Amino acid sequence: MIDGVVGFAGVRRDERNAHRIGEFLQVFDGRGGEAFELRVEVAQVLLELLGRVAVRVDAHQHDLQIVHRTAQHRAVIEAAKAVGIALLAYISVLHADTSSLGLAVEHRDTEAALKASGVPHVLLRNGWYTKNYLANVPSAVEHGVLLGSAGEGRISSAPRADYAQAAAMVLTTEGQASKVYELAGDSSYTLTELAALISQKTDKPVVYQSLPQAEFEAVLISVGLAALLADSDVAAAKGALFDENGVLGRLIGRGTTTVAGALG
């Protein structure tokens, strides 16, 4: 999944702008803030991208909660229906219909609302960002251990640029209504393999230690991070972040960037 992003795009297409749209989507996706609306016109293409998953941190419970925005998403869908928009593209999460990720609940609700609305739409079910795990590299190198709760679950992640390029291709190609794209990296890895790769790249000893969820949550809280982040690891152990269908690579016309390539 793209770092918790929930997005819509209403579009008029011009295939000549696919590359420029991809660059725009990367900028959009990297923006901070709980929620925002951004509109930009690139030649004949009008993108309306709305809504990050809003989150809040409870200072007393030291936890991160998803602020469900299904009502807002329904309002966007109804507005699109009222103006007769040609296509709504929704950025969902990998295998949203069956995923054990806590983040998947809101995605399922919005997907159901889209289906019930009758508005032409395409679902971009994005897998995990490679950066979600690479962000832990400095700490792993410093302490010699990569912590998590993913066991030996395999993770088919890809960089933001790959997902953005795929979105651009979909948004500039006709006949997308009712399609569902399960998007993930071509290759996968376990966190044990990632730790070994980090060690190889940095010439520092790094091992992976898989903790029970409660223990990992406690570690996250102790360093000021949200305990809910452990949920993704537990889901990864159950296969929620793994996919080997190769759709993302085929969409972008090349192999997706590997975790080794992202490490540099």
Side-chain angles (χ1 to χ4, degrees), residues 94-95 98-102 133 149-156 189-191 208 210 213 217 230-243:
L94 187 66
H95 302 301
T98 59
S99 176
S100 58
L101 281 166
Y133 283 112
S149 291
E152 292 303 305
R154 302 200 70 80
I155 299 155
S156 307
Y189 54 91
T190 67
L191 294 189
Y208 172 57
S210 188
Q213 183 174 0
E217 288 175 350
D231 171 80
S232 62
D233 265 23
V234 172
K238 301 174 182 176
L241 304 185
F242 175 72
D243 188 274

Side-chain angles (χ1 to χ4, degrees), residues 150-236:
E152 292 303 305
R154 302 200 70 80
I155 299 155
S156 307
S157 68
R160 175 183 293 117
D162 289 1
Y163 291 113
Q165 186 178 350
M169 293 302 298
V170 170
L171 290 171
T172 55
T173 304
E174 296 293 338
Q176 296 300 319
S178 301
K179 289 190 176 182
V180 179
Y181 291 96
E182 303 287 356
L183 304 175
D186 290 337
S187 59
S188 65
Y189 54 91
T190 67
L191 294 189
T192 296
E193 292 169 349
L194 177 58
L197 185 59
I198 294 169
S199 185
Q200 176 186 335
K201 293 281 188 178
T202 63
D203 201 27
K204 302 284 186 180
V206 178
V207 297
Y208 172 57
Q209 184 177 356
S210 188
L211 303 173
Q213 183 174 0
E215 290 185 28
F216 188 36
E217 288 175 350
V219 170
L220 291 169
I221 291 169
S222 71
V223 295
L225 297 176
L228 186 64
L229 296 175
D231 171 80
S232 62
D233 265 23
V234 172

